[in-house]
Amino acid sequence: MSQHDRSTAQQPDAALPEGACLTAGIPDTTVSRLGAIVLNPYGIAPLTALIRDGGQTLRDARVRVLGRGEHGVDIHYPVSDKALWTHGGIPVFGLYPEHRNEVEVAYTLGGERIRERYTLYAPAVRLPAVASQQAALPQVEPVQVDAALKQRLYLFNHLLTELPGVNRQLKWNAQGGAAEWDSVGINWITDSQGEVRWYLDIERLHDSTRIDGLGASMGFQQTADGKLIWGQGQRYFKHDLLGRPVWERRLPGKFADFSHEIRQTAKGTYLLRVGSSDYRRDDGKQVRSVRDQIIELDESGEVVDFWDLGRILDPYRAQLLHTLGKAAVLLPEDVRAGDSLAANEALEGDGLPFGDVPGVGIGRNWAHVNSIAHDPVDDGIIVSARHQGVVKIGRDKQVKWILAAPQGWRAGLQDKVLTPVDAQGQPLAQDAQGRYAGGFDWSWTQHTAWLSGKGTLTVFDNGWGRDFAPTRLEGNYSRAVEYRIDEARGTVEQLWEYGKERGDDWYSPITSVVEYRADSDTQLIYSASVSYLTREKLTRPVLSEVKYGTQEVLAEYRVTSLQPGNVGYRALVIDLDRAF
């Protein structure tokens, strides 16, 4: 086995231009087997590199990026032959910014197993100019990390809502819509030491001056083939972790205004939360609908099905809307919310404008769908409509069940509301205040109603508007909660909850996620908007991994946003074994 050492010819502190080919300094005693090194080869992932194959056919490669310092975390992963041939070399992921990274690669060439070592300098993190220059990214501080979770990589999806230059004037026409809901996505990956190992150069994708360029980058998921998918306003994307685009597409013409959720189904199709670009209501008005359409696309981008929630649910149910102000949906300061949410048709007219304002009726933000899950058992979907509840809908567009407080549902939907039961299947008693025995509670203005793979449903219960109460600045709590639903009997049992006892210090009125991780048998929980209601708007999210079915925290990270308006949306685990 031969050993080859290569290092960049740059000085240790020299910043190397993004995308530039670097000539390696090769010791006289060795012969280079590979070609040039390219930093940030696809222009949007500055902490990546490509070691070109030099015109040769490589196989069976592995990469290790060595950790920095005494407690640094090594990043290592296999590279498939398919990825070697696609990129024309060895993809390098996980470089530390503003650091001379030591990278080891191994590969087979012509029957010989070869190992080489490189020194690659990656530049400092560069993000859009901000009002406060204290830090480019939120700080991620590990509080505790179980040994079994030390190799974790976490992707954080944040939204920067107070950014100079964001165009609040660019809106759809009088028909309404959600184009005015613009913010900049801040998206990065850290290791278990909280060190930045990847980030997305959002300025390559976001431009507030163009309809196709505005919108928040949201809904990041890692697909079955290891790629990343997300959406932003009028477009949606699929890239690999090196930044190579698989597709970057505009939404189909019948639809507009993506945000919050894009998910791959077990069938390989994609579910996206959008609005309608042109919707004719029963009263004849044509509007752009807001956050109330689900579309299913195939790999080529064609629409194979869609769910119009305005026809399936009740766009005039206003019980939760009474408790919510414009801050609940991150609306810009110059967008007016309705002063009254009184009675159905009384709101039609000049009193409450169409557009992305919380209010009843199609053309306003009556549903605010923020997550979708696909049930492969019956091909149905589970929708978290923040302003209504969690609903399962069949392929026939019929409601199967509703997980939400029973107040206000119209005839035909009222009997779909699930009945809370105990472990023996007996209905739970209620006290004089309407609270259920055994600690059961509905989820209020919830996020991420997802299937766990254990036959249960996990939900992040934000708790804003709990029990239809007005907003309070203290005395609140959020929960991660797991339910078991019996569709045949129309019942729901609460199996587990976490976070209630942590109170205001863990309370996230908006955003957030809980997702069961089968690889570690943990619940990944990101309480993503802690301290959002404070005057400073400097959020302090908390990322936790909790042992399944218990209160035992195996890993926890405190995230500190040093920019006003930097709000966490979600976090997820990145699996490198299937990335390349």
Side-chain angles (χ1 to χ4, degrees):
M1 179 178 294
S2 62
Q3 176 77 30
H4 299 275
D5 289 325
R6 300 175 61 187
S7 61
T8 64
Q10 307 293 326
Q11 295 301 314
D13 296 325
L16 302 176
E18 295 177 3
C21 290
L22 311 179
T23 302
I26 306 166
D28 293 338
T29 56
T30 65
V31 177
S32 171
R33 299 294 184 100
L34 299 180
I37 302 170
V38 183
L39 287 179
N40 193 13
Y42 297 100
I44 67 169
L47 303 184
T48 66
L50 178 65
I51 305 172
R52 295 203 182 278
D53 60 21
Q56 306 160 104
T57 300
L58 312 183
R59 296 182 184 273
D60 191 25
R62 292 196 65 87
V63 176
R64 181 185 300 272
V65 180
L66 276 63
R68 176 171 58 185
E70 181 181 354
H71 302 291
V73 177
D74 289 358
I75 287 180
H76 50 86
Y77 53 90
V79 181
S80 69
D81 293 349
K82 180 171 63 175
L84 292 171
W85 306 336
T86 297
H87 293 288
I90 301 175
V92 178
F93 166 92
L95 301 174
Y96 291 97
E98 206 168 7
H99 179 67
R100 290 175 63 84
N101 292 267
E102 298 298 316
V103 179
E104 296 177 348
V105 300
Y107 57 91
T108 299
L109 177 61
E112 180 183 4
R113 191 66 177 165
I114 298 170
R115 296 181 63 186
E116 297 179 345
R117 187 169 179 134
Y118 298 82
T119 300
L120 304 181
Y121 179 87
V125 172
R126 183 187 67 83
L127 289 174
V130 294
S132 169
Q133 292 288 350
Q134 297 180 61
L137 288 172
Q139 295 177 348
V140 179
E141 175 192 359
V143 178
Q144 65 179 97
V145 182
D146 187 271
L149 300 177
K150 284 189 179 296
Q151 287 303 123
R152 280 287 203 237
L153 293 172
Y154 300 100
L155 187 153
F156 293 89
N157 177 198
H158 277 216
L159 307 176
L160 189 55
T161 61
E162 298 185 11
L163 184 74
V166 168
N167 189 348
R168 300 302 189 192
Q169 303 305 312
L170 182 57
K171 303 177 185 295
W172 290 119
N173 58 28
Q175 292 177 324
E180 65 266 28
W181 196 73
D182 186 25
S183 61
V184 177
I186 304 296
N187 313 292
W188 78 104
I189 293 173
T190 72
D191 59 27
S192 62
Q193 288 295 306
E195 297 271 14
V196 178
R197 308 300 291 269
W198 181 94
Y199 75 97
L200 185 67
D201 186 353
I202 195 63
E203 287 190 314
R204 298 298 183 101
L205 304 174
H206 182 274
D207 182 352
S208 292
T209 67
R210 299 184 298 105
I211 287 290
D212 273 359
L214 56 71
S217 54
M218 302 177 74
F220 285 79
Q221 294 290 331
Q222 191 174 19
T223 54
D225 59 4
K227 309 298 190 296
L228 287 179
I229 53 173
W230 73 94
Q232 178 185 298
Q234 311 314 312
R235 295 190 295 163
Y236 63 106
F237 305 83
K238 185 175 184 179
H239 286 241
D240 67 21
L241 283 173
L242 210 64
R244 183 183 68 88
V246 181
W247 31 254
E248 298 181 356
R249 296 178 177 145
R250 203 182 198 282
L251 292 176
K254 185 176 176 61
F255 304 96
D257 301 337
F258 168 92
S259 68
H260 290 79
E261 183 75 296
I262 173 172
R263 287 186 76 79
Q264 186 181 44
T265 71
K267 303 181 298 181
T269 57
Y270 300 88
L271 297 169
L272 286 72
R273 205 304 321 281
V274 293
S276 172
S277 62
D278 186 9
Y279 192 102
R280 187 181 296 274
R281 296 167 21 131
D282 290 341
D283 60 6
K285 292 186 175 73
Q286 283 182 264
V287 298
R288 295 181 186 272
S289 76
V290 179
R291 307 172 194 256
D292 58 5
Q293 305 278 312
I294 311 297
I295 58 175
E296 183 177 20
L297 307 177
D298 62 18
E299 188 66 34
S300 67
E302 294 187 345
V303 180
V304 297
D305 206 350
F306 70 95
W307 289 258
D308 175 0
L309 298 189
R311 305 291 183 192
I312 297 170
L313 299 178
D314 179 7
Y316 291 101
R317 180 176 179 263
Q319 265 66 18
L320 265 174
L321 286 165
H322 284 290
T323 72
L324 303 176
K326 61 184 176 181
V329 287
L330 298 177
L331 288 176
E333 290 298 322
D334 59 346
V335 175
R336 181 166 60 94
D339 297 325
S340 171
L341 292 169
N344 304 349
E345 296 298 333
L347 292 172
E348 303 293 349
D350 297 333
L352 186 64
F354 288 118
D356 196 354
V357 292
V360 298
I362 299 170
R364 305 183 185 93
N365 191 10
W366 66 272
H368 196 99
V369 173
N370 55 40
S371 82
I372 317 163
H374 174 253
D375 189 345
V377 173
D378 60 6
D379 206 22
I381 63 171
I382 298 170
V383 173
S384 167
R386 181 178 183 271
H387 295 172
Q388 301 297 326
V390 179
V391 183
K392 183 172 184 182
I393 307 169
R395 185 62 59 169
D396 59 1
K397 311 306 185 293
Q398 299 300 306
V399 173
K400 291 180 175 288
W401 49 255
I402 297 173
L403 177 64
Q407 291 90 327
W409 295 99
R410 63 168 170 78
L413 294 175
Q414 184 71 52
D415 60 353
K416 302 295 184 181
V417 177
L418 296 168
T419 300
V421 298
D422 60 20
Q424 289 71 46
Q426 298 302 308
L428 296 174
Q430 292 179 267
D431 63 19
Q433 286 74 41
R435 297 186 180 90
Y436 290 91
F440 176 92
D441 198 3
W442 308 105
S443 295
W444 302 86
T445 57
Q446 74 293 318
H447 285 73
T448 60
W450 289 341
L451 295 169
S452 68
K454 288 178 171 284
T456 60
L457 184 78
T458 58
V459 183
F460 191 93
D461 171 14
N462 292 83
W464 194 329
R466 191 178 302 280
D467 298 322
F468 303 110
T471 300
R472 299 182 300 181
L473 296 182
E474 57 184 19
N476 302 294
Y477 64 87
S478 298
R479 307 181 300 156
V481 58
E482 181 180 21
Y483 298 105
R484 177 182 289 124
I485 294 170
D486 187 326
E487 290 192 9
R489 297 181 60 213
T491 61
V492 56
E493 176 190 359
Q494 181 175 300
L495 300 178
W496 168 86
E497 66 177 8
Y498 177 85
K500 183 175 181 179
E501 300 304 319
R502 299 184 70 163
D504 288 314
D505 290 339
W506 204 76
Y507 172 58
S508 283
I510 59 173
T511 66
S512 308
V513 58
V514 55
E515 180 179 21
Y516 174 69
R517 292 289 310 180
D519 61 337
S520 54
D521 197 32
T522 58
Q523 300 281 16
L524 174 74
I525 312 166
Y526 193 35
S527 190
S529 58
V530 176
S531 301
Y532 174 73
L533 295 180
T534 60
R535 182 181 301 274
E536 296 81 10
K537 287 191 176 181
L538 292 172
T539 58
R540 298 173 178 84
V542 179
L543 175 66
S544 310
E545 289 208 51
V546 179
K547 185 176 180 180
Y548 178 75
T550 75
Q551 302 297 298
E552 182 182 358
V553 178
L554 298 182
E556 184 157 292
Y557 302 82
R558 298 187 188 279
V559 182
T560 304
S561 296
L562 300 179
Q563 304 165 8
N566 187 312
V567 181
Y569 178 56
R570 288 184 187 168
L572 66 148
V573 171
I574 294 298
D575 181 5
L576 282 186
D577 284 343
R578 56 191 171 97
F580 297 107

